[in-house]
Amino acid sequence: MVCVHLKAFKIVDKYLYHMRLSDETLLEVSQRFEKEMEKGLGADTNPTASVKMLPTFVRSTPDGTEDGDFLALDLGGTNFRVLRVKVSDNGLRKVEMENQIYAIPEELMRGSGVQLFDHIAECLANFLDKLQIKDKKLPLGFTFSFPCHQTKLDEVGEGLSSPSGFHTNLSSVPAHPVPLLGPGTGTNACYMEEMRHIDLVEGDEGRMCINMEWGAFGDDGVLNDIRTEFDREIDMGSLNPGKQLFEKMISGMYMGELVRLILVKMAKDGLLFGGRLTPDLLTTGHFETRFVSAIEKEKEGLQKAHEILSKLGLEPSHEDCVATLRICQIVSTRSATLCGATLAAVLRRLRDNKGGDRLRSTVGVDGSVYKKHPHFARRLHKTVRKLLPDCEIRFIRSEDGSGKGAAMVTAVAYRLAAQHQARQKILEPLKLSHEQLLEVKERMRIEMEKGLGKETHAEATVKMLPTYVCSTPDGTEKGDFLALDLGGTNFRVLLVRVRNGMRRGVEMHNKIYSIPVEIMQGTGEELFDHIVHCISDFLEYMGMKGVSLPLGFTFSFPCQQNNLDEGILLKWTKGFKATGCEGEDVVGLLKEAIHRREEFDLDVVAVVNDTVGTMMTCGYEDPYCEVGLIVGTGSNACYMEEMRNVELVEGDEGRMCVNMEWGAFGDSGCLDDIRTEFDVAVDELSLNPGKQRYEKMISGMYLGEIVRNILMDFTKKGLLFRGRISERLKTRGIFETKFLSQIESFSTVLQETVKELSPKCEVTFLQSEDGSGKGAALITAVACRIREAGQR
């Protein structure tokens, strides 16, 4: 008996050699499919792509908080189902269903769309009557198992008249269709794709479910090398030759027919049934796919083969039955492994989208072949795991079919819509209208005038501090200068070489040093000793320890300046709290620390704000630059003001750069009407409550914390993360501002707002590439040029 099996197996294996796919071939198929997915997702390549990758506008999966009563209509064959699905949000994720199956007569399937959807609407009305819920207006999910181009969750594109007819006919039925799903007719797959990769839909944020329509894989010829004569014969005899070629190789609609064609060919070649054929065996469709499942069962398979072949009018020998079993195995194995290869491509894409080497994911599976064939699922799983050995993939069977799925999509859509509406209401105060922005502009103008005025300066929150920078580079500056750039937890020491004439330009060398928190919040002496220690290290690094150079000091904190080389610290910001510094000249504190070290001497020529340094850096490239803006850890601006308006400094001739210190705008309460509960929460828990309120609304030090507070509020109200707040989210500062930059696209909101609010001004934004340290050196260079000219 064993010999009979081996002989029969060898004959079939040799005959169907091209149907037995190696691991290398399956990997190649998987890689080809991945390329087809890319084509389908691209706006330029989609029109010619065979795998269409259709957006479904389903943007989320159930999170367990869905609740409500929903209808579902499941249309995909000669019968369709109407379901009522009750979803309970009671922590148990309970789903109750009632359903009714209705037939679609063949004349309606081949008739007009109006007739078809009139029939469906009548059946739906009958179902509502039966459950006595005709007066309820329930949301409806529509599973429409045919290829569709969707433009919204509840719409399909032009040219598909049937679904729009359904909407019309439903006008007398109290239900409104929401989702429209297209999971395919024979075999198909969908998955959650990153929005940034879906060129066919606007927007980069979040994810969307893609209906792949993978049955058409190979329609462009990419599978021709693995298609067999039997695949070509099935295709030629189908209703749609040249279409859905992959589906014809793997789906249940064609599997039994493939086996029949092989049996016929082998019989004609004298390898089966003694060369005898029967009318039943020669009739298309007479060898059903369910026969394949029955024949491949472990114990009674050969007996089933004998029964089935006998019913086809054959008189099969034991060897014929063994050969038929082997044919079924090869056909179904090819189906399972090809399906596994394409699924592996999808999972590989999910892994790559998440940016990891491993993937833990779950695949939901439905379909009669997967459920009823005794070995299909195991072979599919094995192929996926072989092609993705480092990934942990779990397979779950869909027990209740796509009708329940349509209802769940509807439930998710309603949950998302309700949550979106609630979130938008909470975020509304953060969205400023054009009128509000104009009002803020006017209030800033008033505060600026207060800061510039001699009598009003003391009470002004926007201090408009004179910087004693009265000139910008003219191109004749030259020499070597040191710069110290202090404005946050890190600071830089720079050597800046300025050249004029034909070789005009700036060469820079720098090192970055950190300031530990204990020094930021210790004594002033400790802080400036640490800074001088770092300067010493830099000079040694550059081999310039014995050289006395002019130094420009970028000090990015509010200072009252009485000269270019004198800056009285008004108050610390950005988390600094070093004692003995506020009210003192920071240039004097720096010089004292240099003298304490007794290693080198420096000529501190200028102390400048980072905004002034930024303006000067850009001014070296563009002489029209007369505003400096910083939006970083903190936020501030400076600009060139007419001397006649700077009442704190004597003289009316020329211009002087004014350091606005606009971070304190609103400390007087003038912005209270636009501050939100989140702004207030961030301010109250900061190191300086009630101070720098404007800065706390716009700068990098606080934006992440504002977002964290909003996320916390959303989550507490059940509008995010299933209402579960993680311990890490509760941690202040855990949501960094850099996350906003990573999550959002890099935008032009600032430029557009300036243009909108100042339509008569032509403003160019020039990004400072080298920072405020270079600017401090250039100010020093200008000051040295002017000083030398005065000495001459």
Side-chain angles (χ1 to χ4, degrees):
M1 191 70 71
V2 174
C3 291
V4 170
H5 275 82
L6 287 174
K7 183 181 176 184
F9 274 29
K10 282 182 179 178
I11 292 170
V12 173
D13 285 358
K14 185 176 180 182
Y15 199 84
L16 298 180
Y17 174 77
H18 292 297
M19 275 194 159
R20 298 170 62 211
L21 305 178
S22 67
D23 291 347
E24 291 76 17
T25 301
L26 291 172
L27 179 59
E28 175 65 24
V29 169
S30 187
Q31 291 167 344
R32 291 179 198 175
F33 186 71
E34 204 162 357
K35 290 177 183 175
E36 294 298 309
M37 290 170 68
E38 287 280 356
K39 283 185 188 175
L41 288 169
D44 296 334
T45 50
N46 177 270
T48 58
S50 56
V51 179
K52 284 300 181 187
M53 306 295 285
L54 304 174
T56 66
F57 296 86
V58 173
R59 298 174 186 266
S60 181
T61 51
D63 71 358
T65 64
E66 289 75 20
D67 193 16
D69 207 349
F70 304 93
L71 290 174
L73 177 60
D74 187 2
L75 177 65
T78 54
N79 295 321
F80 70 96
R81 282 199 306 165
V82 182
L83 306 91
R84 181 191 188 182
V85 181
K86 292 183 180 179
V87 184
S88 305
D89 177 20
N90 55 6
L92 301 176
R93 299 191 181 188
K94 189 176 180 183
V95 178
E96 298 177 17
M97 295 199 306
E98 300 172 85
N99 72 89
Q100 179 77 45
I101 295 175
Y102 295 92
I104 303 178
E106 189 170 340
E107 61 270 18
L108 289 182
M109 290 176 67
R110 302 183 184 278
S112 70
V114 172
Q115 291 173 321
L116 172 65
F117 283 94
D118 277 346
H119 173 70
I120 293 169
E122 285 173 16
C123 295
L124 182 55
N126 171 270
F127 180 76
L128 297 174
D129 266 340
K130 183 179 174 184
L131 295 184
Q132 298 181 339
I133 54 173
K134 199 167 185 179
D135 295 332
K136 289 187 177 182
K137 193 171 185 179
L138 299 180
L140 181 140
F142 186 10
T143 301
F144 189 70
S145 303
F146 305 92
C148 288
H149 168 65
Q150 283 190 253
T151 52
K152 294 181 183 176
L153 187 60
D154 61 348
E155 277 186 18
V156 293
E158 294 178 7
L160 297 172
S161 57
S162 296
S164 58
F166 177 68
H167 287 213
T168 304
N169 294 332
L170 263 182
S171 59
S172 61
V173 181
H176 25 259
V178 181
L180 179 67
L181 306 180
T185 51
T187 178
N188 197 11
C190 68
Y191 73 104
M192 297 300 290
E193 176 61 88
E194 301 294 320
M195 281 293 294
R196 66 181 183 273
H197 296 148
I198 306 172
D199 290 353
L200 304 176
V201 180
E202 288 186 6
D204 288 342
E205 308 304 323
R207 301 197 299 167
M208 181 181 286
C209 183
I210 292 292
N211 165 25
M212 301 175 71
E213 289 299 337
W214 76 5
F217 178 38
D219 288 6
D220 57 357
V222 298
L223 296 180
N224 284 355
D225 58 329
I226 65 167
R227 291 178 70 225
T228 65
E229 59 179 302
F230 307 110
D231 297 308
R232 286 189 280 275
E233 190 173 345
I234 276 205
D235 178 45
M236 292 302 294
S238 68
L239 292 172
N240 55 347
K243 305 294 183 185
Q244 299 295 105
L245 297 185
F246 186 62
E247 182 171 273
K248 288 168 185 172
M249 294 172 78
I250 72 169
S251 81
M253 190 170 185
Y254 302 96
M255 196 184 293
E257 185 62 9
L258 270 173
V259 172
R260 187 190 71 82
L261 290 174
I262 295 167
L263 292 175
V264 168
K265 184 73 164 53
M266 289 187 73
K268 285 181 178 178
D269 290 346
L271 298 173
L272 283 179
F273 316 127
R276 181 170 171 263
L277 294 166
T278 66
D280 274 330
L281 186 62
L282 290 169
T283 304
T284 300
H286 272 211
F287 197 99
E288 301 174 36
T289 295
R290 63 189 177 94
F291 296 168
V292 178
S293 300
I295 290 169
E296 285 195 66
K297 287 182 179 176
E298 291 290 346
K299 293 179 180 178
E300 67 267 31
L302 289 176
Q303 181 186 337
K304 287 289 182 183
H306 192 275
E307 290 175 10
I308 290 164
L309 293 171
S310 298
K311 285 180 181 177
L312 293 173
L314 297 163
E315 297 175 1
S317 66
H318 181 74
E319 189 172 358
D320 290 333
C321 293
V322 171
T324 302
L325 168 63
R326 186 57 177 162
I327 292 167
C328 290
Q329 286 175 342
I330 290 174
V331 169
S332 65
T333 297
R334 186 185 72 154
S335 172
T337 55
L338 281 175
C339 190
T342 47
L343 181 58
V346 178
L347 293 166
R348 190 160 51 243
R349 184 170 182 88
L350 282 175
R351 181 194 66 191
D352 294 344
N353 282 347
K354 292 178 180 179
D357 295 326
R358 294 182 58 81
L359 174 72
R360 291 186 66 186
S361 190
T362 300
V363 179
V365 196
D366 199 0
S368 58
V369 175
Y370 184 88
K371 289 180 175 179
K372 294 179 180 178
H373 190 282
H375 308 295
F376 188 94
R378 178 178 53 79
R379 292 168 185 161
L380 170 63
H381 302 171
K382 184 179 178 181
T383 303
V384 170
R385 286 165 183 149
K386 192 179 290 184
L387 295 178
L388 294 171
D390 294 330
C391 298
E392 188 178 325
I393 309 300
R394 182 175 171 230
F395 292 85
I396 295 181
R397 279 175 46 172
S398 170
E399 298 300 333
D400 301 302
S402 51
K404 176 183 174 183
M408 292 309 301
V409 170
T410 310
V412 169
Y414 263 69
R415 169 177 61 79
L416 292 177
Q419 289 177 340
H420 176 73
Q421 192 173 8
R423 288 194 296 264
Q424 291 303 109
K425 188 174 181 181
I426 293 169
L427 294 174
E428 201 61 38
L430 287 160
K431 300 173 184 175
L432 301 180
S433 66
H434 179 72
E435 291 70 24
Q436 284 175 306
L437 291 171
L438 283 174
E439 180 60 28
V440 170
K441 175 185 169 184
E442 176 61 18
R443 293 176 196 176
M444 176 66 90
R445 186 190 64 77
I446 293 169
E447 292 298 312
M448 289 169 68
E449 288 183 357
K450 281 184 185 177
L452 288 169
K454 198 168 188 177
E455 294 181 2
T456 52
H457 175 81
E459 66 184 52
T461 53
V462 180
K463 284 300 183 184
M464 306 296 286
L465 303 173
T467 66
Y468 293 86
V469 173
C470 300
S471 180
T472 52
D474 67 1
T476 65
E477 294 79 15
K478 64 178 180 178
D480 290 355
F481 306 91
L482 276 179
L484 176 62
D485 187 0
L486 176 66
T489 53
N490 294 321
F491 73 99
R492 288 196 304 163
V493 185
L494 307 92
L495 173 66
V496 181
R497 292 190 164 126
V498 183
R499 300 286 178 262
N500 63 3
M502 293 292 290
R503 296 173 59 210
R504 181 177 184 267
V506 177
E507 178 189 330
M508 295 200 307
H509 304 271
N510 73 91
K511 276 186 84 171
I512 296 173
Y513 298 91
S514 63
I515 304 178
V517 175
E518 61 269 20
I519 290 179
M520 286 172 62
Q521 300 179 8
T523 68
E525 196 170 281
E526 290 170 335
L527 173 62
F528 281 91
D529 280 348
H530 175 72
I531 291 168
V532 170
H533 168 76
C534 295
I535 295 173
S536 174
D537 174 80
F538 180 74
L539 291 172
E540 194 167 311
Y541 169 73
M542 294 300 298
M544 303 183 71
K545 200 91 177 255
V547 182
S548 180
L549 294 176
L551 181 138
F553 187 7
T554 301
F555 189 72
S556 307
F557 302 91
C559 285
Q560 174 75 53
Q561 284 191 253
N562 300 315
N563 286 296
L564 185 59
D565 62 352
E566 179 186 325
I568 309 298
L569 176 61
L570 299 178
K571 60 184 174 183
W572 282 121
T573 57
K574 307 174 192 174
F576 278 74
K577 274 198 165 183
T579 58
C581 297
E582 291 183 353
E584 297 295 326
D585 175 19
V586 294
V587 174
L589 295 174
L590 179 62
K591 286 180 176 178
E592 288 171 11
I594 291 171
H595 293 152
R596 278 196 299 273
R597 193 164 184 92
E598 296 182 342
E599 284 186 10
F600 55 86
D601 197 16
L602 296 173
D603 177 17
V604 184
V605 175
V607 58
V608 299
N609 185 269
D610 55 350
T611 53
V612 184
T614 296
M615 183 189 76
M616 193 63 75
T617 298
C618 294
Y620 188 75
E621 306 296 331
D622 181 352
Y624 291 103
C625 183
E626 51 190 356
V627 177
L629 170 65
I630 297 287
V631 187
T633 305
S635 180
N636 194 12
C638 70
Y639 70 102
M640 297 300 290
E641 177 62 88
E642 301 298 317
M643 280 294 293
R644 65 178 181 273
N645 296 328
V646 186
E647 296 182 7
L648 299 179
V649 180
E650 290 184 4
D652 289 343
E653 300 303 317
R655 301 198 299 169
M656 179 181 286
C657 182
V658 170
N659 167 23
M660 296 177 67
E661 287 300 335
W662 76 6
F665 179 39
D667 287 6
S668 62
C670 68
L671 295 180
D672 284 359
D673 57 329
I674 65 167
R675 288 177 78 222
T676 68
E677 59 181 296
F678 309 111
D679 297 308
V680 173
V682 167
D683 179 38
E684 287 177 348
L685 291 173
S686 68
L687 291 170
N688 55 347
K691 305 294 183 184
Q692 299 294 105
R693 289 183 177 180
Y694 188 59
E695 182 171 83
K696 288 169 185 170
M697 295 170 77
I698 67 173
S699 81
M701 189 167 186
Y702 303 97
L703 287 182
E705 188 61 9
I706 290 173
V707 171
R708 188 187 71 85
N709 275 272
I710 293 170
L711 294 177
M712 289 274 288
D713 185 71
F714 282 176
T715 310
K716 285 175 183 174
K717 292 173 179 172
L719 304 176
L720 272 185
F721 313 133
R722 305 185 188 184
R724 298 169 190 163
I725 302 177
S726 69
E727 288 303 314
R728 285 176 66 78
L729 188 59
K730 293 177 185 176
T731 308
R732 284 182 61 217
I734 200 72
F735 196 98
E736 300 175 41
T737 297
K738 68 177 181 180
F739 297 163
L740 274 74
S741 303
Q742 293 166 356
I743 291 168
E744 282 195 279
S745 304
F746 293 110
S747 65
T748 55
V749 173
L750 173 63
Q751 290 93 319
E752 289 168 0
T753 304
V754 169
K755 188 174 182 179
E756 185 182 337
L757 298 181
S758 303
K760 295 180 181 178
C761 299
E762 188 175 324
V763 181
T764 301
F765 289 82
L766 181 63
Q767 189 168 322
S768 171
E769 298 298 336
D770 301 303
S772 50
K774 175 181 173 182
L778 287 169
I779 290 168
T780 304
V782 171
C784 288
R785 167 174 60 81
I786 294 170
R787 185 169 65 184
E788 288 170 9
Q791 288 170 352
R792 287 197 296 271

